[in-house]
Amino acid sequence: MKKPSLTILGCHSSIPTNQFHPTAQILEMKGFSFLIDCGEGTQVQLRKAKIKFNKIIHIFISHLHGDHFFGLIGLLSTFHLLGREKPVSIYAPKGLKEIIDIHFKWSYTRLKYCINYVELSSKKLDKIMENDKIEIFSIPLKHRIYTNGFLFKEKPSHRKLNIEEIKKISDIKIIDYKNLKLGKDFKSHDGRIIPNNQLTFPPPKILSYAFCSDTSFYLPIIEHIKYVDLLYHESTFLKKEENRAINTGHSTANQAAYIAKKAKVKKLLLGHYSNRFPNIKEFEKEAKKIFFNVEASEPLKTYYL
C-alpha cells in the first residue's frame, strides 16, 4: 500500500488568477482518493496533477463560500460527459444539494450517475464516514458561515507475517496465518507457546491528516487534531494584518503555527493565502518563529504523511 499523500491543487483564497488557484486538494490514503474542497478550476488542476477523475468517489466541501466549491458543478458535469456510472458521495453543509440540483434542472441534464449527499450540520466533532480501513470526522471551525474542517485517520492494520521464522516451525499452517496477523500467540502440538512477536512484525504506524480552512484563530480545534501527522491550517494573512483576519473570520500564519505547536502535530502546511501577499515564503518565515516543522504549501506539489 502506498504511503498517504496530499496533492495541493489550489491554496489561495478568493479570486483565482493565472498564478493563484483557490482551495482544492487530493488526499490519497488507504487506496482512496479524497477530494477536499473544489475551488474554481479544480478539474484543470487535476489534469495537470495527472489524477484520474474516476478515482474520486468521496468529495468533502468545508463551507459554501464560492472559492471552496465553485469548481464542483464543472467537475460533476465532466464526470457526466465522460460517461461515469460510479456513484459519488458529497459531504457538505446544507444548501449545496439545492445549488447543484438547480443547475442541472435548468441545464436539462440528467446525470448518468448517482450523487449521494451527506449534509453536515453538527457543531461538534462528528464521524461522517467509516470503513474497514479509515474513519473520517468533521471538525467544527469558526468562520463567518457554518464551516467544517476534516480529520482523516487510518485504522490499525494487521501485523505482518515473518515468513522466515514461520518456516522454522513445521506445525504452523496457512490456516494459522489469520490468527497470527491478529496478534495471537501460536500453540504447537507439543504444547509450547510461541510468542506472536517472534512470528510477526508490528503493523505500520497509523497515520492521520487534518484540514482546517477557513477559520478564525480557534483554540477548541486543538483537542481534535492532537498529534496528527500532517495539519493543513489556513493562514490567509500575516501578523501585521491580524485585525483584518479577525474581521473576516480568518487566521494569520503565526496563529496557525501556535495551533500546530499546542496540538503537537508532526508537520504544518500553510495555505489559503490572501492574494495581497505574492511571496508565500513570508508566511513560512513568520510561522517558523513559533513552530519548527512548517511549509508554505504550493500548487501541484505533493506532500507525504
Side-chain angles (χ1 to χ4, degrees), residues 112-228:
K112 298 182 178 74
Y113 62 94
C114 176
I115 300 178
N116 303 313
Y117 291 94
V118 179
E119 292 190 336
L120 306 178
S121 59
S122 177
K123 295 185 179 180
K124 60 182 180 62
L125 187 73
D126 198 24
K127 186 181 291 187
I128 58 176
M129 179 191 154
E130 181 178 22
N131 57 39
D132 61 342
K133 295 181 179 180
I134 197 167
E135 52 186 354
I136 303 171
F137 302 81
S138 60
I139 304 172
L141 301 179
K142 184 181 180 182
H143 193 40
R144 301 194 306 278
I145 62 173
Y146 175 73
T147 305
N148 283 296
F150 300 104
L151 173 63
F152 300 79
K153 296 177 68 175
E154 292 182 334
K155 284 190 170 181
S157 301
H158 292 155
R159 296 182 68 84
K160 303 297 181 183
L161 298 176
N162 185 341
I163 298 298
E164 287 188 10
E165 288 297 319
I166 288 173
K167 286 180 178 179
K168 295 176 183 178
I169 303 169
S170 60
D171 289 359
I172 299 178
K173 309 301 180 186
I174 292 177
I175 196 173
D176 299 310
Y177 287 3
K178 182 177 180 180
N179 283 334
L180 291 176
K181 289 179 179 180
L182 293 174
K184 296 180 181 180
D185 295 335
F186 179 77
K187 186 176 182 179
S188 65
H189 290 159
D190 60 9
R192 287 184 303 127
I193 301 298
I194 303 171
N196 183 273
N197 59 14
Q198 182 180 323
L199 303 171
T200 66
F201 299 110
K205 179 182 179 292
I206 298 171
L207 299 174
S208 55
Y209 170 64
F211 169 88
C212 295
S213 183
D214 295 4
T215 184
S216 298
F217 180 54
Y218 192 48
L219 294 176
I221 68 173
I222 292 172
E223 64 179 292
H224 303 317
I225 62 173
K226 276 186 176 178
Y227 311 117
V228 297

Side-chain angles (χ1 to χ4, degrees), residues 36-56:
I36 307 168
D37 276 350
C38 191
E40 188 176 343
T42 291
Q43 61 178 315
V44 175
Q45 293 295 92
L46 284 167
R47 292 188 183 280
K48 289 180 181 178
K50 296 181 171 33
I51 294 169
K52 295 179 180 179
F53 286 13
N54 64 1
K55 288 189 68 178
I56 300 172

